[in-house]
Amino acid sequence: MVRWEPGTRDRLQAAATELYVSRGYDRTTAADIAQAAGVTERTFFRHFADKREVLFGGQELLEQAFVEGVAAAAPDASPLEMVEAGLWAAAPFFAAERRDHSRRRQRIISENPALQERELLKMAGMATTITAALRSRGVPDVTARLAAESGVMVFGVAFGTWVAEGEERSFTDIQREVLGELVAMTSGAR
Amino acid sequence: MVRWEPGTRDRLQAAATELYVSRGYDRTTAADIAQAAGVTERTFFRHFADKREVLFGGQELLEQAFVEGVAAAAPDASPLEMVEAGLWAAAPFFAAERRDHSRRRQRIISENPALQERELLKMAGMATTITAALRSRGVPDVTARLAAESGVMVFGVAFGTWVAEGEERSFTDIQREVLGELVAMTSGAR
């Protein structure tokens, strides 16, 4: 049986982020990360498929929380309300104590086109998953796609604002504001 | 002076799409495409940076049309109306006679993750460009980003519907409907 040391995954992520910032993403190997975290390379690969995935681990949990939020929305909720329920269910991932880590992570990604592509693909995958969750609640296809992509868009803009240098508002405050902006913008009010 | 033969670019695109479908994207080289179009490999590389770009050439023109539409919107237009003006300015790229080509192209992309990543990156770039166009018209940052990404989203959903097998409505009809769906969805009407 594999002994699954609690906290190993978090330690690997912290060590990777540290090395990606100090040494550069391209010059850091999985072996370097394992060593910095005090585990074997083999242990690294039990947790992550490659060094790129260290930055994106946790995405499934976020997606799962979002989808559960959609599923738990009131029976008479509109598609937008279902998406809002998903956004609020995912918000606890972005607590104040995660902000510094998220800022460092975002800086690493923004400096590397291959990582940006991976991030876009993850976001597109999230939109697809949310679309399916909305469809299974009876939302028609086009509406489900628009609602899901709007949700991912609101999340993306809120997240980008939250990790901006100098920004101090909480993720939930920012997300509420971005959602309000979306509704105001599409109402077409001049 | 380089002699710039009219139509060479179109011929290269047609030959590439043909080969990507018949032989597979991975098994087609730039030299194959040049040969099929009756030009030298050197000519191929005067038109396209690599074989991936053959599928994405024309993106700049689409983006330019969109941005010009935004710039030409009425002085008192709302951000959403500016984006709508952009969408309508870009719509002529999707005339009936382009549909078969677009369908083949989309099938090639959907079968290749690297091409999907490139497409997502192009769409993200388009959103960034439109955001800048909106900001230069005085739209505040967050609203500009939401409006631009909404525009790209409407375009993406409309395009995806337009190239679906069996779909017969025109691109403009579909786009009008998707825009209407977005407004209805975000109005939160149950």
Side-chain angles (χ1 to χ4, degrees):
Chain A
M1 259 181 53
V2 172
R3 204 168 67 88
W4 204 273
E5 196 171 340
T8 302
R9 193 183 165 86
D10 286 350
R11 279 216 316 285
L12 283 165
Q13 283 190 307
T17 311
E18 191 67 36
L19 284 167
Y20 292 166
V21 168
S22 63
R23 186 182 299 187
Y25 174 79
D26 288 330
R27 284 188 299 279
T28 302
T29 66
D32 297 334
I33 298 165
Q35 192 181 21
V39 301
T40 64
E41 200 175 340
R42 199 182 149 137
T43 298
F44 175 94
F45 287 111
R46 273 214 305 274
H47 288 274
F48 300 105
D50 55 41
K51 69 172 188 169
R52 205 151 63 148
E53 279 303 309
V54 188
L55 291 166
F56 296 101
Q59 173 87 27
E60 312 77 44
L61 296 174
L62 177 68
E63 225 171 274
Q64 193 187 327
F66 202 120
V67 164
E68 285 172 5
V70 169
D76 63 344
S78 69
L80 181 67
E81 287 168 334
M82 291 180 197
V83 164
E84 284 186 33
L87 284 166
W88 294 121
F93 282 80
F94 308 98
E97 66 268 22
R98 294 287 294 167
R99 197 173 203 153
D100 281 341
H101 173 78
S102 295
R103 277 196 174 122
R104 276 196 298 276
R105 177 184 169 280
Q106 213 52 32
R107 202 174 319 133
I108 297 160
I109 292 173
S110 71
E111 285 164 4
N112 188 312
L115 293 174
Q116 283 166 45
E117 290 195 354
R118 174 75 65 109
E119 179 158 76
L120 289 168
L121 204 62
K122 292 274 182 185
M123 289 295 111
M126 189 158 135
T128 303
T129 304
I130 300 166
T131 301
L134 290 164
R135 292 198 64 182
S136 79
R137 289 210 52 176
V139 178
D141 186 43
V142 166
T143 308
R145 287 171 66 190
L146 290 170
E149 291 201 22
S150 295
V152 173
M153 170 172 82
V154 165
F155 166 73
V157 172
F159 182 81
T161 305
W162 184 62
V163 294
E165 285 310 322
E167 176 61 57
E168 291 183 353
R169 287 171 299 165
S170 70
F171 183 81
T172 52
D173 281 353
I174 296 168
Q175 184 163 275
R176 188 174 296 111
E177 198 176 304
V178 175
L179 256 167
E181 282 289 335
L182 174 68
V183 171
M185 186 273 293
T186 48
S187 78
R190 297 194 181 183
Chain B
M1 260 182 54
V2 172
R3 204 166 68 87
W4 205 275
E5 197 172 338
T8 302
R9 193 184 165 87
D10 286 350
R11 280 217 314 287
L12 284 165
Q13 284 189 307
T17 310
E18 191 67 37
L19 284 167
Y20 292 167
V21 168
S22 62
R23 185 180 302 185
Y25 174 79
D26 288 330
R27 283 188 300 280
T28 302
T29 66
D32 296 335
I33 299 164
Q35 193 181 22
V39 301
T40 64
E41 199 175 339
R42 199 181 148 135
T43 298
F44 175 94
F45 287 111
R46 273 215 303 278
H47 288 274
F48 300 104
D50 56 40
K51 71 173 188 169
R52 203 151 65 151
E53 278 303 309
V54 188
L55 291 167
F56 297 101
Q59 172 89 24
E60 312 77 44
L61 297 174
L62 176 68
E63 222 170 278
Q64 193 186 327
F66 202 120
V67 163
E68 285 172 5
V70 169
D76 63 346
S78 69
L80 181 67
E81 286 167 338
M82 291 181 197
V83 164
E84 285 186 32
L87 285 165
W88 293 121
F93 282 78
F94 308 97
E97 66 269 22
R98 296 285 293 166
R99 198 174 204 152
D100 281 342
H101 173 79
S102 295
R103 278 194 175 125
R104 277 195 299 275
R105 177 183 169 280
Q106 214 53 32
R107 202 174 319 136
I108 297 160
I109 292 174
S110 70
E111 285 166 2
N112 188 310
L115 293 174
Q116 282 167 44
E117 289 196 353
R118 175 76 66 109
E119 179 158 77
L120 289 169
L121 204 62
K122 293 274 182 185
M123 289 295 111
M126 190 159 136
T128 303
T129 305
I130 300 166
T131 301
L134 290 165
R135 293 198 62 180
S136 78
R137 287 209 56 178
V139 178
D141 186 45
V142 166
T143 309
R145 288 170 67 190
L146 290 171
E149 291 199 24
S150 296
V152 172
M153 171 172 81
V154 166
F155 166 73
V157 172
F159 181 81
T161 305
W162 184 61
V163 295
E165 285 311 322
E167 176 60 56
E168 290 183 352
R169 288 170 299 165
S170 70
F171 182 81
T172 52
D173 282 352
I174 295 169
Q175 184 165 275
R176 187 174 297 110
E177 198 176 304
V178 175
L179 256 167
E181 283 289 336
L182 174 68
V183 171
M185 186 273 292
T186 48
S187 78
R190 295 190 184 186

